[in-house]
């Protein structure tokens, strides 16, 4: 099923992509086209991946995703992973391989049906880890065409999920699982997380990025210093990893007042990404901390607003 909405400059199309590995599971997503009158064969596209690291499911529009999609200077596609919002199926806390497979299905569809070239991946939290796993897995294939990757609050130390388990030991011992309740897209959601789910989560091997992440991809890492879900130190670890590559660059940006979801400050995700893209197009990217060497641009919260960048 395809539902299309057009404006004078942009076209928004809701797609339902048949899942080739999960019967009855069509992946729901939104295709944004900046030049709908032009053919899509050979055009570059950005993929925007939502997260779920706050221990509950999310969806394709729950934070900055839609705002970013309509402002990007290239086509984009954002979608719900299986068991999230409009995509049917069962959501699993620890089975990252399901999300990677969903991403593969989406990419296969966009490249074959539309002729798109995957240019950029933007991942938040769990979505960042999924993006990394896909790029490492396909480094000699479709990931060769990827030029840029944005890591928003991505976790490196997967074993830190056991901190959450420790906080819920009483519940786990008394009933055998941790019960999670949330409201997702105004709908109540409830799931049970078992010990084996934590073990699956912790077993995801992000260390592969040291040797398998494509060396040519420019990376922007955004992380809030008030992130209580994924420690800000994980962004520093990624900076060490990605900063050692060549010719790809890595830019690290901490936001002083931001939490894991950049609550109330989506512009602190969207605007830096747009500026970073412009810097890349001009060939100005260098590995380091955001705005290294730029003087007197941060003068405190009263002058600059809530989202302040911490210069390390």
């Amino acid at each position: 099923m395809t539902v299309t909405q057009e404006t004078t400059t942009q076209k928004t199309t809701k797609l339902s992509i048949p899942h080739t590995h999960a019967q009855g599971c069509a992946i729901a997503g939104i295709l944004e086209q900046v030049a709908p009158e032009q053919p899509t064969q050979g055009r570059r596209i950005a993929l925007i991946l939502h997260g779920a690291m706050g221990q509950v499911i999310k969806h394709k529009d729950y934070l900055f995703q839609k705002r970013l999609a309509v402002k990007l200077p290239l086509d984009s596609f954002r979608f719900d992973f299986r068991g999230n919002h409009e995509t049917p199926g069962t959501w699993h806390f620890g089975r990252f391989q399901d999300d990677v497979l969903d991403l593969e299905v989406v990419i296969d569809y966009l490249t074959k049906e539309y002729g798109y070239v995957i240019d950029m991946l933007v991942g938040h939290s769990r979505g960042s880890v999924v993006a990394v796993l896909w790029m490492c897995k396909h480094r000699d294939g479709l990931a060769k065409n990827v030029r840029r990757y944005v890591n928003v609050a991505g976790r490196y130390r997967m074993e830190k999920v056991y901190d959450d388990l420790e906080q819920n030991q009483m519940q786990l011992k008394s009933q055998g699982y941790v019960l999670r309740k949330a409201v997702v897209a105004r709908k109540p959601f409830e799931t049970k997380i078992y010990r084996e789910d934590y073990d699956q989560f912790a077993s995801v091997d992000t260390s592969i990025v040291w040797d398998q992440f494509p060396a040519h991809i420019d990376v922007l890492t955004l992380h809030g210093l008030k992130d209580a879900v994924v420690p800000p130190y994980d962004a520093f670890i990624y900076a060490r990893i990605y900063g050692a590559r060549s010719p790809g660059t890595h830019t690290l940006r901490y936001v002083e007042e931001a939490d894991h979801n950049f609550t109330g400050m989506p512009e602190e995700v969207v605007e830096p990404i747009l500026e970073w893209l412009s810097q890349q197009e001009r060939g100005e990217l260098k590995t380091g901390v955001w705005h290294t060497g730029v003087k007197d641009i941060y003068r405190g919260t009263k002058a600059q607003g809530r989202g302040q960048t911490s210069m390390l």
Side-chain angles (χ1 to χ4, degrees), residues 185-285:
R186 301 179 182 178
K187 299 177 183 178
F189 171 80
E190 183 176 297
T191 189
K192 298 175 182 177
I193 304 175
Y194 297 87
R195 172 59 193 243
E196 53 266 33
D197 295 318
Y198 282 99
D199 293 338
Q200 283 184 337
F201 191 108
S203 70
V204 175
D205 184 13
T206 53
S207 71
I208 62 175
V209 297
W210 284 98
D211 302 314
Q212 298 181 36
F213 189 85
H216 69 279
I217 297 176
D218 289 317
V219 180
L220 170 64
T221 292
L222 303 172
H223 212 112
L225 288 178
K226 292 189 176 180
D227 191 333
V229 178
V230 177
Y233 189 76
D234 283 33
F236 172 72
I237 298 174
Y238 276 123
R240 289 170 51 205
I241 299 169
Y242 296 134
R245 299 167 307 119
S246 179
T249 65
H250 178 263
T251 305
L252 173 63
R253 184 179 193 268
Y254 280 116
V255 180
E256 187 173 8
E257 297 298 321
D259 60 14
H260 183 63
N261 291 331
F262 285 75
T263 303
M265 50 179 70
E267 72 282 353
E268 292 294 340
V269 177
V270 175
E271 297 307 320
I273 291 176
L274 297 179
E275 181 179 345
W276 178 73
L277 289 176
S278 296
Q279 291 173 351
Q280 188 198 48
E281 292 297 329
R282 296 193 299 267
E284 298 174 354
L285 291 181

Side-chain angles (χ1 to χ4, degrees), residues 26-205:
I27 298 175
I30 304 294
L31 176 65
E32 302 282 359
Q33 295 174 289
V34 297
E37 73 284 355
Q38 297 180 8
T40 56
Q41 186 68 38
R43 286 181 62 82
R44 292 185 171 270
I45 191 171
L47 303 180
I48 304 174
L49 315 182
H50 70 76
M53 291 236 188
Q55 325 311 348
V56 294
I57 66 173
K58 303 296 183 183
H59 62 90
K60 58 185 174 296
D61 285 337
Y62 78 114
L63 293 177
F64 59 85
Q65 287 87 348
K66 182 177 181 179
R67 186 176 305 201
L68 174 63
V70 299
K71 288 190 174 184
L72 282 174
L74 71 161
D75 293 358
S76 69
F77 185 73
R78 62 192 189 277
F79 64 96
D80 296 326
F81 287 103
R82 75 177 78 176
N84 289 260
H85 191 31
E86 295 183 323
T87 298
T90 303
W91 178 76
H92 293 280
F93 180 76
R95 290 174 58 175
F96 279 72
Q97 66 270 25
D98 287 352
D99 293 354
V100 174
L101 187 57
D102 291 349
L103 178 57
E104 290 174 338
V105 169
V106 166
I107 290 174
D108 185 66
Y109 183 87
L110 292 174
T111 54
K112 291 181 178 178
E113 297 297 323
Y114 285 83
Y116 276 119
V117 174
I118 308 304
D119 178 76
M120 174 179 177
L121 290 94
V122 180
H124 173 251
S125 193
R126 184 184 181 111
S128 287
V129 177
V130 173
V132 162
L133 295 176
W134 179 83
M135 284 183 283
C136 289
K137 180 178 179 181
H138 297 278
R139 60 178 304 188
D140 295 323
L142 291 175
K144 283 185 175 181
N145 297 315
V146 177
R147 296 188 296 170
R148 38 214 180 186
Y149 159 55
V150 181
N151 165 32
V152 184
R155 187 187 294 268
Y156 178 78
R157 296 170 296 170
M158 304 300 288
E159 70 278 4
K160 293 289 287 181
V161 74
Y162 286 129
D163 293 347
D164 179 81
L165 184 147
E166 288 297 322
Q167 295 174 11
N168 293 280
Q169 279 287 4
M170 294 298 294
Q171 188 179 165
L172 193 64
K173 289 180 179 179
S174 64
Q175 57 191 25
Y177 55 84
V178 176
L179 184 65
R180 294 292 186 191
K181 295 182 179 180
V183 176
V184 180
R186 301 179 182 178
K187 299 177 183 178
F189 171 80
E190 183 176 297
T191 189
K192 298 175 182 177
I193 304 175
Y194 297 87
R195 172 59 193 243
E196 53 266 33
D197 295 318
Y198 282 99
D199 293 338
Q200 283 184 337
F201 191 108
S203 70
V204 175
D205 184 13

